[in-house]
Amino acid sequence: MLRRIRTIDRLLEGRLNRRQFNDALGLFGLVAVTVPMVSRPLSAAERLLLFTWGGLEDPSLFPEYAAKHGEIDATFYGDEYEAIEKLRAGYEADIVGPCIDVMPRWMTTGLQPIDESRLLHLDEQFASIRDAAPSFYDGERYYVSMYWGFSSFVYRTDLTDIKPEDESWTLLFEEKYKGRMAIWDSTDAVIPHASLALGYFDDPYRPDGEHLERVAEMVRKQRDLVRFYFSSVTEAVQAIASGEVVISYAWSDFLSHLKTAGVPFKWANPKEGLISYNCGLARANRKGNEEAQYDFINASTTADVGKFLIEVFNLGASNKTSFDMVDPALLKELELSTPEESLTRSHPFVYVPPELKQKHIEMFDEIKAGA
């Protein structure tokens, strides 16, 4: 899980709707792909149903599929655990967009195995991404990565006195930034970065017992400092650009928006390590649409789509060929080299069991309510 997606994003912010996605393209002088030639448009009954993060339904991310089959249908979720429960309750889809850390839970929804011989770009993927253990269950593949990326924080260099050597997750708990801080409204943000600020490096995602009590104290302290909790990149970026907020939790795709805004800022590389995610695609529980499912996965993992993800969303592509198509200066600026090199300097998201995840959510909700 750029944003994930792990999204995209936990991609793509991982969570843009179609209008917001197209607005983002406009910032780069780009437009969404429109494909007039369709070799075999699917009927309404056959049309592929994508169940994913908002924004990932745009044909710019699967142009070859659009050229062959035409439109897709799409529905969206803002949280993977909510999506999983919907599928478990009987909802059906063709393709879903899991982040790899949640794959053990996704496996309870009736995902269908993926035949590697039908994947056209699997050999083009970085080995560490392609062969990650949670991609497999009982000897069969169930997951194909599409993108990976980082979470950190950004700060205004003209409105703070933060120096690169000072960059630490502890800055998000500093009294000096009271009323001028924004934090993503999710336990996927507050739990790990509070854990890292406390020095829980071995497993910042699954604090429990005494560790969770200390994390709760940090989250409670932060609650009294934040200007607001945000749910969208747009909301946070506007506040940073105006100076209302001078330090904010962020995903890597904040960078392009802030550059466009023309304000002086820095993407932090906290000494405790970045938070990272790896998100992709899986065949969901609806049977009888195999050709469309495989065509969609193949179209979403081409080198061209990976190039688009890097340049527009500042996410790492799973397709290593994509990196040869991007300006090396941009890759250096984004600290995107290879997953092997980039992700080893981070804390990759790991699976949080449902019972513990629910405990985290309840804790966060109570704290936000004033407890």
Side-chain angles (χ1 to χ4, degrees):
M1 8 327 79
L2 172 180
R3 280 233 345 306
R4 304 312 223 216
I5 5 149
R6 148 175 16 133
T7 184
I8 3 136
D9 320 346
R10 189 184 266 266
L11 167 251
L12 304 171
E13 165 192 3
R15 300 159 175 81
L16 301 176
N17 59 35
R18 180 183 291 273
R19 179 187 59 77
Q20 292 168 331
F21 183 90
N22 289 334
D23 287 347
L25 297 186
L27 296 175
F28 294 85
L30 302 173
V31 295
V33 173
T34 301
V35 184
M37 299 296 291
V38 178
S39 60
R40 191 183 75 83
L42 299 181
S43 68
E46 295 176 307
R47 193 176 295 163
L48 182 136
L49 177 57
L50 175 66
F51 186 35
T52 189
W53 307 103
L56 292 179
E57 84 285 6
D58 194 283
S60 301
L61 293 170
F62 46 90
E64 292 180 3
Y65 178 92
K68 181 175 182 180
H69 295 300
E71 295 182 355
I72 67 167
D73 292 326
T75 57
F76 310 106
Y77 51 81
D79 179 273
E80 288 183 82
Y81 287 82
E82 293 176 3
I84 288 166
E85 291 310 308
K86 185 172 182 178
L87 291 168
R88 285 164 57 87
Y91 185 71
E92 291 188 339
D94 290 300
I95 295 289
V96 289
C99 293
I100 198 167
D101 55 288
V102 191
M103 275 302 291
R105 190 63 178 169
W106 280 100
M107 290 304 303
T108 69
T109 67
L111 297 185
Q112 300 180 72
I114 296 172
D115 181 352
E116 292 188 348
S117 70
R118 299 179 69 172
L119 299 178
L120 302 181
H121 308 291
L122 192 63
D123 290 342
E124 299 169 22
Q125 294 197 336
F126 292 102
S128 62
I129 293 289
R130 180 189 64 219
D131 301 328
S135 303
F136 304 90
Y137 179 78
D138 200 21
E140 294 188 282
R141 177 180 292 278
Y142 283 83
Y143 170 87
V144 178
S145 177
M146 184 178 172
Y147 61 90
W148 49 276
F150 300 107
S151 295
S152 180
F153 61 92
V154 294
Y155 57 91
R156 287 284 297 261
T157 54
D158 58 332
L159 300 177
T160 68
D161 58 0
I162 301 171
K163 299 179 176 59
E165 58 268 26
D166 299 328
E167 293 173 354
S168 166
W169 287 111
T170 60
L171 291 172
L172 296 181
F173 303 89
E174 290 281 352
E175 288 282 345
K176 68 169 66 177
Y177 303 118
K178 183 174 183 178
R180 307 189 74 189
M181 179 189 306
I183 301 295
W184 180 30
D185 189 8
S186 172
T187 57
D188 285 345
V190 297
I191 294 293
H193 84 256
S195 295
L196 292 172
L198 287 166
Y200 298 151
F201 302 139
D202 291 340
D203 190 352
Y205 299 101
R206 294 178 291 201
D208 201 359
E210 181 182 345
H211 281 189
L212 184 56
E213 290 176 7
R214 292 194 64 196
V215 166
E217 291 174 6
M218 293 290 282
V219 176
R220 191 171 292 109
K221 176 181 179 180
Q222 188 179 68
R223 174 202 60 198
D224 297 333
L225 303 177
V226 297
R227 180 76 171 185
F228 59 86
Y229 291 100
F230 65 85
S231 58
S232 74
V233 166
T234 301
E235 183 182 10
V237 166
Q238 288 177 347
I240 298 166
S242 70
E244 176 187 2
V245 164
V246 299
I247 186 168
S248 173
Y249 187 93
W251 306 287
S252 49
D253 55 308
F254 272 59
L255 305 183
S256 59
H257 297 290
L258 289 172
K259 289 175 189 173
T260 301
V263 297
F265 76 95
K266 175 110 173 15
W267 164 264
N269 188 6
K271 63 184 180 182
E272 300 89 355
L274 295 164
I275 293 168
S276 60
Y277 49 86
N278 167 11
C279 303
L281 303 167
R283 294 179 63 213
N285 54 1
R286 189 161 79 163
K287 306 292 197 299
N289 214 9
E290 283 194 15
E291 180 185 0
Q293 290 172 339
Y294 282 102
D295 285 346
F296 187 88
I297 293 172
N298 287 327
S300 300
T301 51
T302 66
D304 285 339
V305 168
K307 177 177 182 289
F308 180 84
L309 286 168
I310 295 170
E311 293 180 340
V312 176
F313 291 109
N314 300 155
L315 292 164
S318 62
N319 192 316
K320 58 188 176 185
T321 307
S322 304
F323 288 74
D324 298 329
M325 304 164 66
V326 176
D327 184 348
L330 177 61
L331 295 176
K332 182 178 180 180
E333 179 183 349
L334 299 176
E335 298 188 9
L336 296 176
S337 48
T338 67
E340 291 83 355
E341 181 177 341
S342 297
L343 295 179
T344 53
R345 297 181 285 101
S346 70
H347 300 275
F349 268 102
V350 298
Y351 177 60
V352 180
E355 299 80 10
L356 182 56
K357 182 73 172 180
Q358 186 59 35
K359 186 184 294 188
H360 291 173
I361 292 171
E362 290 175 358
M363 177 209 76
F364 189 36
D365 286 346
E366 289 173 1
I367 290 173
K368 288 189 295 181

